Amino acid sequence: MTDKLAAQLLDAAKSFSSMSPAEIQALLRRAAMRINNRPLPSRSAILLQEVAEMADEFAEEHDMTRDEAVNAILIDWGVAAGHLEIDDLDDEDE
């Protein structure tokens, strides 16, 4: 594990008290997957449990799949933060 993840784990061990539980959880999940030698599928993301639950609730309320809900949430955030313009979206993304 002589890569970026290993360096992040070593840094985390040195500054454990300054990290949030979510940051520690994400690092540990990545390390566990690496140890299991199970690469992430291309174009996928691992959501924190709380985020997954929120996305699932949003999806249920709007009769969407989780993927559609996550895309809608990220598009709303991107537009509100100025990272994405409505004109940049395809018709099927709106």
Side-chain angles (χ1 to χ4, degrees):
M1 231 195 296
T2 58
D3 60 1
K4 185 177 176 181
L5 177 58
Q8 289 173 331
L9 288 168
L10 291 170
D11 288 343
K14 293 176 188 172
S15 59
F16 184 77
S17 62
S18 67
M19 295 182 70
S20 74
E23 290 172 316
I24 294 167
Q25 187 177 33
L27 276 175
L28 291 174
R29 283 183 178 160
R30 288 177 55 210
M33 285 187 292
R34 182 70 59 83
I35 290 168
N36 284 337
N37 198 19
R38 185 174 43 165
L40 285 175
S42 177
R43 305 183 108 185
S44 69
I46 296 175
L47 302 177
L48 298 174
Q49 181 179 350
E50 296 83 359
V51 174
E53 290 169 1
M54 183 263 317
D56 290 340
E57 287 175 22
F58 183 90
E60 188 175 329
E61 290 171 8
H62 294 87
D63 194 31
M64 301 175 160
T65 66
R66 179 190 280 179
D67 286 344
E68 291 169 334
V70 169
N71 281 319
I73 293 165
L74 289 172
I75 288 169
D76 286 349
W77 170 81
V79 170
H83 297 293
L84 186 64
E85 305 242 346
I86 296 288
D87 296 337
D88 294 339
L89 301 173
D90 294 335
D91 288 338
E92 64 183 49
D93 291 339
E94 294 182 43

